[in-house]
Amino acid sequence: MVLWLAIALPVVIALQRCSEDDFEFTYTNCDENGERWRVAVPRHAASCENLPPPQKGLNCSFSCQAGHYLDLETQGCRPCNPGSFSLGGGVRFEDFVTLPAGFSIENFDANADLYFSSGGREKENVCEKETGWLVRDGELMYVPSSCVSRLSFSANLVRPGYVEFTYRMPRNNRALSLQVDVRNEQCQSYSDAARSMLARYSKNKGKEEEERNGDWRRRRVDMRTGTNVISWTISNSLGFQSSQEPVHFARVDVNGLAFTRECTACPPGTSSTAAAAECSPCQAGFFAPKGSSKCGVCPQSQYSGPKAERCINRPPCRQSDYYPVREPCTNGSSRVTYKKVLPAVCRDDLPEAASLPAPGPWTPCPKCNPGMAKNSQGLCDFCPLHHFSDGNECKRCPVDTVPNYGLQYILWDVMPPKLTSRCEYISDDVSMSCDIGNAWIPSGSALISAPSLQRGIAFELVLSIDEGFFNPLAPKSMSAVPVAQVTIVFETSCSDPSCVIYFIEDTTVGNAKESFFHFLAAFNGTQSKRVWSHTVTQNTPAKFMVAFLRSQVSSGEDSITDEARIYAINVTNVGHRKAQGGGASECLACPHTQGGETCVPCPPGNYMHPKTQLCIPCPPNTAINASSSRIGEESCVKCGVGLFSKDGVECKTDGKFSIEGNGNTTFHYDFSPWIERNWTLAGVRVFSREGSAYYHQFKVSLFAPTVKCEEEFDGADIVGFLDTSREKVIGTACRLTALPGATRNHSKIALVSPLLLAKSLRAVTQSTDYQGWHLSKELLEYESLDKASLPMDIFLWYEPIASTGVTCPNGIVFVAVARCQPAKKQPEMRLPKGCPDGTCDGCTYAVIIETAQACPVCGASDYQTIKGECVGGKQTIHSIPQKHCVISGKAAESHDEPCSVLTSQQKFLLATLAVSLFSAIATLFLMCRRNRRLEYKYTRLIESRTGELPVAESCGLDEDEEDEMTDRVIFSKGKRSRPPANRGGSERDNAAFISLDNED
C-alpha cells in the first residue's frame, strides 16, 4: 500500500488542473527569421494538464509605444495605469538603491602602463576606496579619483535604438573628461557613436544630441540592433589636485529593447496620469509617494521643496531666520529693520519660536566703503573723477597725483554696487526658478550666505566689472603683465567636507545664449578665515562668481546650518583710459621725468623714488615686481641663484652658471645650447580594453622663448559653441590631456585641460631643497643608489604656480634636473621612471635631461693632452677630461698638428749636434776677427815713420778692445821688411820681434 502511494501520488500531482494564477505566459527565443512562440509556463515545479497550447507570437522587433505595455495573454498593448510610466520598448534606471543588473564597474591605475587583454596580467589595484563609479545615497555617481573609472552596461536590442542619460558635471570640470563608447557584439566601436565628451562642450547636430538645463545635460547616443555594450569612462587629468565634487547620473534610458511586460511605478516626488511615458516632478509645497497619480498639497503646518516624497513640519522660527536690512540714510541717520528669510516656512506662532525683531534705533549713518560717499538720497556712491575718499567725503586728488580706482568692500551694511546675488537649483527635474530673495545677506561685518530652508540650491554672488581694467602707472610697452588683482577674504563653516565654495570667471562673450565658466579655485569643507587672490592680465571687461554649495546638496539633504562668509572684496585698477571704474581710496604720487613731465609711467625696469618721484632703474641683477606699486627700491626683486638682469625687467640667463661645490670648489656649467629649444614629452599611457590610450602631453622650454598649451580638437569629435572658449596657458612648462578621437583606429586625439606648470626660472642649485620644496628620492631615481653613486645633478627651480585645490596649499612647482651623462652628446629629456607622469604627489613636477652638456666645464688643469701617432707628417691631438667635467670650446675638439718621424732621442741628438756646430762656427768667427785686428795694428807699426810705437793715450782698454798682453805674435817665414832709410832707430828696438827662423 505504501509503495502504491509513492508511485501514484506524483502522477496525481503531475496531472492536476491549474488555475490562471498557477502559470504565466512568456516568449521563446527568437529564431533566425525574427519569429517566436508564446508558451505557458507553470509558476511552480508541478505541471498542469490544462496549459494553453503554444501560440505564434509577435515579431521580435515589435514593441508597444511609450506609455503602454504588452499584455502577453492577449498579445496586445495596454496603457499604463496612473502613477506609472513606460518607455514602450525600453527601460529606465533612476532609482539606484544598488547597482542595477547589467551594469559593471572597473577602475584601473592611471599612473602605470596597463594593457588589458585576455593573456595580459593586470596590475594590483591601487585606486582609492569609495572613488570612481559607485552607488551612494540612492545615486549613481563618479567620485573623482586618480584612477580611470569605467561604467558599462550590456543591452540586447531587437531594433535600432538609443541610450539617453542625464548627468551633471561639477563646475570645476576642466580636469575631468567623460568618454561615451558603444560597441557591438564583435567589440567594434561605432565611429558615429564613440565621441569624446567634455564638460562644457556639446553636440547640437547629427545623431548625437545634448540638451541642457542649467548644469544638467541630457545626451543621446544611437545604437544598432544586436548586443551592445555602452561604457562611460572618466579620466582625471589633475589627479590629486582635482576637486572632490562628484559627477551625478540622474537617469539612464535604453530604448530598442524587447517588449515591456509591465509599467514602472513613478519614483517618489513624481506623479503621472494614464498612458504616461514619464512622470512629472512635484513643485514646492506638494508631495507624492512612489506610484502616485497626482501630487498632494502639503498642509498649512507643513512644507516641502521640489520633487518631495513627503511634507515636513514647519519648524519654529529661529533668530537666524531673520536678517537685518539697513534703511537708506535720512537726515544723517538710519536704522536697521528685519526681514524673514525666504522661503518663509518657519512658524512664528509657536511658543518656542523667535519673533521678528523690532527695528533698531536711529543711529548716525555709518560711513561708506573706501572710495565712496553718501549721495543726496543717503546711499553710498562712488566718488567722481579725480576724487578719492576714505568712506566719509570725497576729496580732490592733489596736484601730481593720480587716483587708484577700484573696489574696496570691507563694510557690509548694504549690498555694494556691482554685486548681485541669486540662487540656482542643482537638480535637473526642477524647472521652476529659484527665488529665496537675497542669496547673500549683508550683516555689517561680513556678507553671509542666506540661512534658507530651501534645499538642493547653490548660493551665487556675481561681481561684474563692465569697465574693464587699466593701470595708469604701468609701462605701456609691457605686455602679458598683471593689470589688476582680485582679492577675496572668506571663511566657511560646514557639517562635513562635502560642502564647497567656488571661485569662477564667466567667460561668456557678447549675448551668447549659454554661459561659459572658467574654474579658478575651489575649497571643500570648513575653511578658517583665508585670502584668495586672482591676477588679471587682460584689460577687457570681466565677470566673476562666488558659488557656495552646502553639504549633501547633491542628494537634496543639504545641511541648512552650513554657512559661508565674505569679509572683504578688493579689486584694483578698475576702469579704462576714458572712464573710471569704482572709486579711489587714495591718490598715488605721479612719477616725474628728467625733462619735468609729470604723471608719466616709469619705463620698464624702473621704480619711482618715494621722495624725488623720479624714475630710477632697478639695481643690477634685480627685476621690477610687476604686481607691486613700483614705488621704492623694494619694488625690485633680486634675481635667483645663477640669474642676472641688466634691464630690470626680468631675470634672465645666458645658460652659463657658476655654482659653489664642496671644499670651496667652483663648478662652471654651460647650458647655452638649450636656449630657444623646446621639448614635447608624452606621459604614461593608460590603455583600455578597446585599445584607446589616455595620456598627458608635456611641453617644456627651459629658457626663452615660452611654450603654449592650447586645447585642440577636431570639430567631428568635440564641438564647442565658441572657438574662443578653448583654454590655453603660456609659460616655460605646461601640460595637456590627450584623449582618443572618434575614428576606429583612434589616430586622432583631442588635447584638453591645459595646466600651467612653470612661468619663469627662479634659481639654479645643487641642492634637492629650495625655499621649503623638497625633491624626493623616488622622483630623482635615487632610491637604489648609495651616496657615492649619486649622479652629478643640477636643479633648475622654476617659480611656483598657485594651486586651485587644497591638496597643494603651497601651489605646484616644476624642476628640471640636469643630469651629467658624458656618453650622451645630445640632450635627452624624459620623465622620472619612478613617477612616470612627471609627479609623485601631484604638487612637485620634474623632468630629467641626460646629456654631457649637463656636466661641469673643465678648467685648464682638469684635462690632459694626448698626441696620436705621426702619419704623413701630421698627428691628432686629443684632450682627455677628468671624470667630473667635460671640455668645451676648441679644446673639446680633436685637431691635427704637423709632426716628424724622428724619435725624441733622435731629435735630442740632432739638436745637440746643431748647437755644437753653431758654437764651433761662432768660435772660429771670433778668432778670425781677433787675428785681423792684431794684423792691422802690426801693419800700422811697421809703417810708422818714426819706427816707434804710438804713445798710449790711456792705460786702460777701450770698450771694444781686449787684453792683448798675453797674445803672442808669430810671423810666418819670409824676408824681413827693411825700414826706410830715413827712419831712425837702434837695433835694440827691433829685438822684440823675433823671426820664425830665429825662434829656436
Side-chain angles (χ1 to χ4, degrees):
M1 185 68 176
V2 174
L3 180 62
W4 181 85
L5 288 175
I7 298 174
L9 185 59
V11 176
V12 174
I13 296 175
L15 298 178
Q16 68 179 357
R17 296 184 62 84
C18 297
S19 64
E20 293 182 355
D21 296 334
D22 295 330
F23 64 88
E24 61 181 354
F25 292 102
T26 186
Y27 280 125
T28 62
N29 294 331
C30 298
D31 58 19
E32 57 183 6
N33 298 321
E35 297 180 352
R36 57 189 173 184
W37 290 82
R38 189 201 70 172
V39 296
V41 179
R43 297 180 185 273
H44 307 288
S47 299
C48 302
E49 64 177 0
N50 59 335
L51 288 177
Q55 183 178 355
K56 188 174 183 178
L58 299 173
N59 190 277
C60 290
S61 62
F62 174 82
S63 62
C64 299
Q65 63 180 355
H68 295 71
Y69 70 99
L70 180 63
D71 184 0
L72 289 184
E73 183 176 358
T74 63
Q75 295 197 75
C77 295
R78 291 188 175 184
C80 293
N81 295 324
S84 62
F85 73 99
S86 169
L87 300 180
V91 61
R92 171 171 294 172
F93 303 96
E94 62 178 345
D95 191 10
F96 298 98
V97 179
T98 59
L99 191 67
F103 283 86
S104 63
I105 295 174
E106 58 179 335
N107 299 314
F108 46 93
D109 187 10
N111 294 321
D113 287 321
L114 298 181
Y115 295 87
F116 289 106
S117 61
S118 57
R121 179 177 62 89
E122 296 187 10
K123 188 178 179 180
E124 181 182 358
N125 189 358
V126 296
C127 304
E128 302 90 343
K129 294 182 179 180
E130 294 298 318
T131 61
W133 286 107
L134 50 85
V135 175
R136 178 190 295 173
D137 299 330
E139 284 188 293
L140 177 62
M141 65 177 67
Y142 164 85
V143 177
S145 167
S146 60
C147 295
V148 175
S149 184
R150 178 184 293 111
L151 172 70
S152 302
F153 176 73
S154 178
N156 187 14
L157 271 62
V158 299
R159 66 180 188 281
Y162 61 85
V163 57
E164 185 178 85
F165 52 97
T166 304
Y167 68 102
R168 181 172 68 88
M169 299 287 284
R171 292 176 184 262
N172 58 331
N173 48 53
R174 302 304 302 177
L176 302 178
S177 59
L178 170 62
Q179 183 182 12
V180 183
D181 190 69
V182 181
R183 295 178 179 269
N184 58 17
E185 56 188 359
Q186 284 80 32
C187 201
Q188 295 176 343
S189 178
Y190 302 156
S191 60
D192 61 341
R195 304 288 188 183
S196 296
M197 184 177 62
L198 300 181
R200 62 181 185 146
Y201 301 125
S202 66
K203 184 79 173 176
N204 289 330
K205 57 184 179 180
K207 296 184 178 181
E208 287 189 58
E209 298 178 356
E210 179 167 291
E211 299 177 357
R212 298 194 178 191
N213 178 19
D215 288 341
W216 288 91
R217 292 93 188 268
R218 180 179 291 118
R219 189 175 181 84
R220 175 180 295 186
V221 181
D222 291 343
M223 298 189 298
R224 299 176 183 177
T225 304
T227 302
N228 294 262
V229 178
I230 311 112
S231 62
W232 296 268
T233 304
I234 298 184
S235 59
N236 184 357
S237 63
L238 288 183
F240 300 99
Q241 300 182 54
S242 174
S243 170
Q244 292 303 303
E245 186 180 358
V247 177
H248 297 273
F249 264 43
R251 66 174 61 169
V252 178
D253 292 346
V254 181
N255 194 283
L257 301 174
F259 62 91
T260 300
R261 297 188 58 174
E262 59 183 359
C263 298
T264 304
C266 289
T270 63
S271 64
S272 70
T273 57
E278 62 180 341
C279 302
S280 302
C282 298
Q283 300 295 323
F286 294 80
F287 73 101
K290 184 176 182 179
S292 298
S293 59
K294 64 178 182 179
C295 298
V297 181
C298 291
Q300 185 66 27
S301 61
Q302 294 182 327
Y303 78 101
S304 71
K307 199 180 178 181
E309 179 182 5
R310 60 186 181 276
C311 297
I312 305 175
N313 292 328
R314 295 173 59 189
C317 291
R318 306 161 299 168
Q319 290 293 340
S320 59
D321 290 322
Y322 307 102
Y323 66 94
V325 177
R326 180 166 290 277
E327 294 182 347
C329 189
T330 304
N331 297 326
S333 61
S334 65
R335 66 175 183 174
V336 174
T337 59
Y338 292 87
K339 292 184 178 180
K340 185 177 289 188
V341 175
L342 297 179
V345 297
C346 70
R347 297 179 58 181
D348 54 8
D349 57 344
L350 298 177
E352 64 273 22
S355 302
L356 180 69
W362 291 93
T363 58
C365 296
K367 72 174 187 177
C368 300
N369 282 302
M372 307 179 71
K374 293 285 192 306
N375 57 18
S376 57
Q377 289 79 29
L379 302 176
C380 291
D381 201 359
F382 293 119
C383 290
L385 193 66
H386 302 307
H387 287 69
F388 74 101
S389 168
D390 60 355
N392 292 310
E393 61 177 339
C394 297
K395 300 178 182 179
R396 189 171 185 85
C397 288
V399 180
D400 292 345
T401 62
V402 59
N404 63 332
Y405 296 119
L407 308 178
Q408 191 173 348
Y409 298 149
I410 57 177
L411 302 176
W412 303 98
D413 296 298
V414 295
M415 183 68 77
K418 300 185 181 297
L419 284 178
T420 56
S421 67
R422 66 190 185 195
C423 66
E424 180 182 352
Y425 286 105
I426 65 171
S427 174
D428 68 314
D429 291 329
V430 181
S431 58
M432 60 183 295
S433 61
C434 179
D435 185 12
I436 62 170
N438 295 323
W440 291 82
I441 300 173
S443 63
S445 61
L447 193 63
I448 306 175
S449 59
S452 176
L453 297 179
Q454 190 66 273
R455 302 177 187 273
I457 61 175
F459 301 85
E460 299 176 349
L461 180 68
V462 180
L463 172 63
S464 300
I465 310 296
D466 300 327
E467 300 86 358
F469 303 93
F470 173 66
N471 186 355
L473 298 182
K476 299 179 181 180
S477 59
M478 295 186 67
S479 59
V481 298
V483 178
Q485 196 84 8
V486 179
T487 305
I488 299 178
V489 182
F490 72 97
E491 73 175 1
T492 58
S493 176
C494 303
S495 59
D496 63 54
S498 63
C499 79
V500 59
I501 184 169
Y502 290 109
F503 297 93
I504 305 168
E505 182 179 6
D506 189 347
T507 59
T508 305
V509 178
N511 297 322
K513 295 182 179 179
E514 187 166 354
S515 297
F516 295 96
F517 298 106
H518 173 50
F519 166 78
L520 299 177
F523 300 90
N524 292 81
T526 299
Q527 299 287 330
S528 57
K529 193 173 182 179
R530 61 182 303 168
V531 179
W532 171 80
S533 295
H534 171 67
T535 300
V536 179
T537 58
Q538 295 182 348
N539 296 322
T540 56
K543 183 180 293 185
F544 301 94
M545 179 190 300
V546 179
F548 176 61
L549 279 69
R550 297 183 293 197
S551 304
Q552 305 299 327
V553 64
S554 59
S555 62
E557 298 296 330
D558 40 339
S559 174
I560 61 175
T561 59
D562 288 3
E563 182 181 81
R565 288 174 172 262
I566 295 178
Y567 292 98
I569 296 179
N570 185 29
V571 185
T572 62
N573 300 329
V574 178
H576 53 82
R577 294 181 182 276
K578 297 182 179 180
Q580 72 178 88
S585 60
E586 61 178 342
C587 297
L588 303 177
C590 289
H592 291 187
T593 64
Q594 297 293 344
E597 296 179 288
T598 61
C599 289
V600 177
C602 288
N606 285 245
Y607 67 92
M608 186 185 72
H609 194 280
K611 294 183 178 179
T612 63
Q613 297 182 220
L614 294 176
C615 296
I616 301 176
C618 283
N621 297 327
T622 64
I624 193 73
N625 182 3
S627 301
S628 67
S629 62
R630 295 185 175 86
I631 300 177
E633 188 175 338
E634 59 272 13
S635 299
C636 301
V637 181
K638 186 178 180 180
C639 293
V641 179
L643 306 179
F644 66 89
S645 176
K646 296 181 180 180
D647 55 6
V649 176
E650 60 179 339
C651 295
K652 301 179 180 179
T653 177
D654 56 2
K656 298 180 180 180
F657 307 95
S658 298
I659 300 177
E660 296 291 335
N662 297 329
N664 296 326
T665 303
T666 301
F667 295 99
H668 304 280
Y669 295 87
D670 186 5
F671 300 157
S672 57
W674 303 349
I675 296 178
E676 297 186 357
R677 178 167 182 177
N678 298 338
W679 283 271
T680 300
L681 307 176
V684 58
R685 292 175 180 262
V686 181
F687 290 86
S688 62
R689 294 183 185 274
E690 297 81 9
S692 59
Y694 306 85
Y695 65 93
H696 287 143
Q697 183 185 91
F698 295 83
K699 293 185 179 181
V700 180
S701 174
L702 300 179
F703 310 116
T706 57
V707 293
K708 178 173 67 173
C709 287
E710 185 174 9
E711 290 181 325
E712 299 178 6
F713 47 84
D714 192 337
D717 296 331
I718 304 173
V719 176
F721 284 96
L722 297 171
D723 290 339
T724 56
S725 64
R726 302 184 185 186
E727 292 189 0
K728 65 179 179 181
V729 295
I730 299 176
T732 54
C734 55
R735 189 191 73 178
L736 286 161
T737 300
L739 302 177
T743 57
R744 291 182 182 272
N745 58 2
H746 303 283
S747 60
K748 294 188 299 182
I749 61 173
L751 300 177
V752 297
S753 304
L755 176 65
L756 182 62
L757 299 178
K759 287 184 179 180
S760 59
L761 184 63
R762 177 66 66 86
V764 181
T765 68
Q766 280 187 321
S767 174
T768 58
D769 296 277
Y770 178 72
Q771 294 187 350
W773 295 94
H774 174 72
L775 301 178
S776 64
K777 293 184 177 180
E778 181 182 9
L779 188 65
L780 297 177
E781 305 171 354
Y782 288 175
E783 291 180 308
S784 59
L785 302 177
D786 54 20
K787 187 174 181 180
S789 303
L790 293 179
M792 293 188 63
D793 289 343
I794 294 297
F795 306 103
L796 283 70
W797 297 85
Y798 290 79
E799 181 181 359
I801 304 298
S803 174
T804 57
V806 297
T807 307
C808 303
N810 298 323
I812 59 178
V813 69
F814 178 81
V815 182
V817 183
R819 180 158 295 172
C820 176
Q821 293 285 356
K824 290 186 178 182
K825 300 301 181 183
Q826 297 299 323
E828 177 183 341
M829 181 178 288
R830 61 176 178 85
L831 297 173
K833 298 177 181 178
C835 306
D837 217 23
T839 179
C840 295
D841 57 4
C843 301
T844 304
Y845 289 79
V847 295
I848 299 176
I849 310 102
E850 296 179 328
T851 175
Q853 298 173 0
C855 300
V857 178
C858 293
S861 60
D862 293 333
Y863 65 91
Q864 58 181 348
T865 302
I866 298 179
K867 298 181 179 180
E869 183 180 1
C870 184
V871 178
K874 292 184 179 181
Q875 64 180 161
T876 304
I877 308 300
H878 301 275
S879 299
I880 306 301
Q882 296 184 10
K883 183 179 179 181
H884 71 278
C885 65
V886 294
I887 305 174
S888 64
K890 294 183 179 180
E893 301 178 357
S894 299
H895 60 280
D896 295 334
E897 291 182 356
C899 64
S900 173
V901 295
L902 298 176
T903 63
S904 299
Q905 294 180 352
Q906 292 173 339
K907 290 181 180 180
F908 177 76
L909 291 176
L910 289 177
T912 303
L913 292 175
V915 171
S916 301
L917 181 61
F918 177 79
S919 301
I921 294 173
T923 304
L924 182 61
F925 173 77
L926 292 176
M927 292 178 63
C928 292
R929 185 177 179 183
R930 184 176 299 169
N931 288 338
R932 286 181 181 179
R933 185 180 294 114
L934 291 174
E935 184 179 0
Y936 171 74
K937 290 184 178 181
Y938 175 75
T939 302
R940 289 187 61 186
L941 178 63
I942 63 175
E943 291 180 353
S944 175
R945 293 182 179 182
T946 60
E948 295 180 357
L949 291 173
V951 180
E953 299 177 359
S954 172
C955 63
L957 299 177
D958 293 337
E959 183 177 352
D960 58 344
E961 294 181 1
E962 297 180 4
D963 187 5
E964 299 181 357
M965 295 299 296
T966 60
D967 293 344
R968 186 177 181 183
V969 180
I970 301 175
F971 296 93
S972 61
K973 292 183 178 181
K975 294 182 178 181
R976 178 179 299 178
S977 299
R978 190 180 296 268
N982 57 351
R983 185 173 181 180
S986 67
E987 191 73 18
R988 186 172 51 85
D989 296 335
N990 296 328
F993 299 92
I994 301 174
S995 173
L996 292 176
D997 298 335
N998 300 327
E999 186 176 2
D1000 298 333

